């Protein structure tokens, strides 16, 4: 591959996904390095005043300041855009920086946003608390109710915002319907795709306008750094998002971008193997949870209420599922009895992790808010990793027995 081949869209768009994940966006310096170079710099120098003036005027390509551009971050942005099927991407400091930027860059006082009620706790905080502070009206709905999306539309509705699958309830949104409805009404869809990544689901293929990520999750996949990303059209990224990002500064650090670049090289392999392990573990647990009066929330199992839709939209079931037991006491007893699986509130990691959302990711919400979202006291969420699935089954088996299941 030549030094600039990875940045030539005429070439890279024809590559298949596995090739894009390894070589997309790669730009090599005069040294011809094989691994992407890490540029730890805050600023840049210029040979003459005319050059810097032209760059700041947007008349000449080139770096100006690392709040706007960095060669390592630019490689990550191009690679994610390729994998997502987007025209452009901007990397962010974290997943929540991505969600915040994707919303605030386009919403103003007097606008209206419709959001799914089932969501990561901080995403619901944006909708319930932050947006209204700026005079932005919000409505939360049951995302599985297609009619509810249409009923919630007002003359000033500008954005639909949702996760699919949702965290931690694993609600599945009908992407074709919701994105089609939004498009017909001139509404922008912002989809949080962190539970899947582009290796398992590409919302833009179903008509999504903007796809946002916590790249901390599957994209890094090894619990190392925080990062986020927002993907969209060139017009949205450069004319709507970039002015917000330039002036507020939620930028991804070059080192973090480099780590995520390395993670993308194995993303598809990890995501599909973890999905396979998650399905096997879920199948082992399903009858036992049901017999105890509990509930499995696993999009890869036929018992999931939107299983057919999940299979249609996702290449695999994903590494994350939830299940509900009798209450907080029994849920904590399972966690305390684990020997192999870690108690942790992260997801997307190559290690298996489990948490109790009501006392971790959604602890900042009231009991009434959690109930409205479907986050029950007996709910546990598990991220299934790359360990031998038989070891995971044995650990889950003994933990459930210890908790009386």
């Amino acid at each position: 591959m030549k030094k600039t081949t990875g940045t030539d869209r005429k070439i890279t768009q024809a590559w298949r996904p596995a090739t894009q994940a390894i070589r997309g966006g790669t730009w090599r310096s005069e040294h011809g390095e094989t691994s992407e170079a890490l540029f730890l710099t805050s600023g840049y120098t210029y040979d003459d005043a005319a050059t810097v003036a032209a760059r700041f005027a947007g008349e000449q390509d080139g770096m100006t300041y690392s709040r706007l551009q960095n060669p390592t971050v630019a490689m990550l942005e191009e690679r994610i855009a390729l994998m997502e099927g987007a025209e452009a991407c901007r990397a962010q400091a974290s997943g929540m920086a991505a969600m915040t930027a994707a919303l605030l860059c386009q919403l103003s006082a007097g606008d209206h946003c419709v959001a799914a009620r089932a969501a990561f706790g901080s995403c619901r905080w944006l909708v319930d608390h932050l947006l209204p502070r700026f005079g932005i009206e919000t409505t939360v709905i049951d995302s599985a109710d297609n009619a509810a999306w249409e009923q919630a539309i007002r003359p000033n509705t500008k954005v639909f915002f949702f996760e699919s699958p949702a965290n931690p309830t694993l609600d599945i949104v009908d992407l074709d319907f919701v994105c089609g409805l939004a498009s017909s009404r001139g509404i922008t869809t912002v989809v949080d795709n962190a539970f899947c990544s582009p290796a398992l689901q590409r919302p833009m293929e179903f008509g999504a306008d903007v796809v946002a990520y916590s790249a901390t999750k599957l994209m890094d996949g090894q619990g190392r750094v925080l990062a986020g990303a927002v993907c969209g059209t060139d017009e949205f990224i450069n004319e709507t998002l970039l002015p917000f990002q330039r002036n507020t500064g939620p930028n991804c650090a070059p080192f973090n971008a480099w780590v995520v670049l390395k993670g993308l090289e194995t993303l598809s392999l990890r995501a599909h193997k973890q999905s396979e392990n998650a399905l096997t573990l879920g199948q082992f647990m399903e009858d036992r949870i049901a017999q105890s009066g509990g509930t499995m929330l696993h999009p890869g199992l036929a018992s999931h209420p939107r299983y057919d839709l999940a299979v249609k939209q996702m290449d695999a079931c994903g590494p994350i599922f939830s299940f509900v037991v009798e209450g907080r006491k029994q849920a904590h007893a399972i966690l305390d009895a684990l020997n192999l699986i870690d108690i942790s509130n992260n997801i997307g990691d190559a290690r298996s992790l489990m948490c109790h959302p009501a006392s971790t990711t959604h602890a900042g919400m009231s009991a009434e808010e959690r109930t409205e979202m479907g986050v029950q006291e007996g709910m546990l969420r598990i991220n299934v990793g790359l360990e031998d699935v038989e070891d995971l089954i044995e650990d889950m088996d003994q933990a459930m027995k210890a908790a009386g299941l």
Side-chain angles (χ1 to χ4, degrees), residues 116 118 142-146 149 161-166 170-179 191 201 206 304 306 309-310 313:
D142 177 0
S143 64
D145 183 354
N146 284 355
W149 288 100
F161 177 46
F162 59 89
E163 307 165 9
S164 186
L170 281 299
D171 289 13
I172 304 292
V173 175
D174 187 336
L175 294 175
D176 256 338
F177 175 84
V178 175
C179 294
V191 183
Q201 179 176 262
F206 298 90
H304 191 283
R306 298 202 119 183
L309 184 60
Q313 295 179 172

Side-chain angles (χ1 to χ4, degrees), residues 56-74:
F56 272 83
E59 299 166 354
Q60 183 183 106
D61 291 337
M63 302 292 156
T64 57
Y65 190 63
S66 277
R67 183 158 43 83
L68 299 175
Q69 312 109 333
N70 174 279
T72 307
V73 177

Side-chain angles (χ1 to χ4, degrees), residues 126-313:
L126 292 179
V127 171
D128 295 342
H129 301 286
L130 183 65
L131 296 184
R133 291 182 188 176
F134 294 96
I136 300 164
E137 301 171 6
T138 62
T139 301
V140 293
I141 62 164
D142 177 0
S143 64
D145 183 354
N146 284 355
W149 288 100
E150 187 158 16
Q151 292 165 2
I153 296 174
R154 302 175 186 174
N156 58 336
T157 302
K158 297 295 177 64
V159 169
F160 282 174
F161 177 46
F162 59 89
E163 307 165 9
S164 186
N167 183 4
T169 59
L170 281 299
D171 289 13
I172 304 292
V173 175
D174 187 336
L175 294 175
D176 256 338
F177 175 84
V178 175
C179 294
L181 172 65
S183 179
S184 71
R185 302 295 186 88
I187 297 167
T188 300
T189 48
V190 178
V191 183
D192 177 350
N193 197 37
F195 262 41
C196 287
S197 83
L200 301 181
Q201 179 176 262
R202 288 160 296 281
M204 287 185 175
E205 293 180 356
F206 298 90
D209 298 300
V210 178
V211 181
Y213 284 103
S214 171
T216 309
K217 309 304 189 290
L218 280 164
M219 289 186 177
D220 171 22
Q222 288 149 87
R224 299 171 295 191
V225 297
L226 297 180
V230 179
C231 301
T233 62
D234 280 325
E235 180 180 8
F236 177 84
I237 296 297
N238 293 315
E239 296 182 19
T240 302
L241 177 66
L242 181 56
F244 177 89
Q245 188 164 357
R246 174 191 293 120
N247 294 295
T248 60
N251 301 76
C252 183
F255 177 76
N256 292 22
W258 184 85
V259 171
V260 177
L261 275 166
K262 297 294 97 184
L264 291 178
E265 294 178 359
T266 59
L267 171 60
S268 183
L269 295 173
R270 288 183 285 103
H272 283 91
K273 181 58 180 176
Q274 288 178 243
S275 295
E276 178 186 319
N277 284 352
L279 183 57
T280 301
L281 181 60
Q283 289 168 337
F284 165 77
M285 296 172 58
E286 184 173 26
D287 288 345
R288 195 145 140 201
I289 294 296
Q291 289 168 8
S292 69
T295 306
M296 288 289 290
L297 302 170
H298 192 313
L301 297 175
S303 58
H304 191 283
R306 298 202 119 183
Y307 167 78
D308 291 339
L309 184 60
V311 170
K312 172 189 172 185
Q313 295 179 172

Side-chain angles (χ1 to χ4, degrees), residues 289-351:
I289 294 296
Q291 289 168 8
S292 69
T295 306
M296 288 289 290
L297 302 170
H298 192 313
L301 297 175
S303 58
H304 191 283
R306 298 202 119 183
Y307 167 78
D308 291 339
L309 184 60
V311 170
K312 172 189 172 185
Q313 295 179 172
M314 301 163 64
D315 292 346
C317 65
I320 304 150
F321 66 90
S322 295
F323 59 100
V324 182
V325 295
E326 186 177 352
R328 181 178 292 213
K329 182 177 179 181
Q330 191 170 55
H332 280 196
I334 292 173
L335 291 173
D336 290 345
L338 294 171
N339 291 322
L340 175 63
I341 300 168
D342 288 311
I343 302 173
S344 177
N345 52 285
N346 197 17
I347 56 171
D349 201 296
R351 301 163 186 81

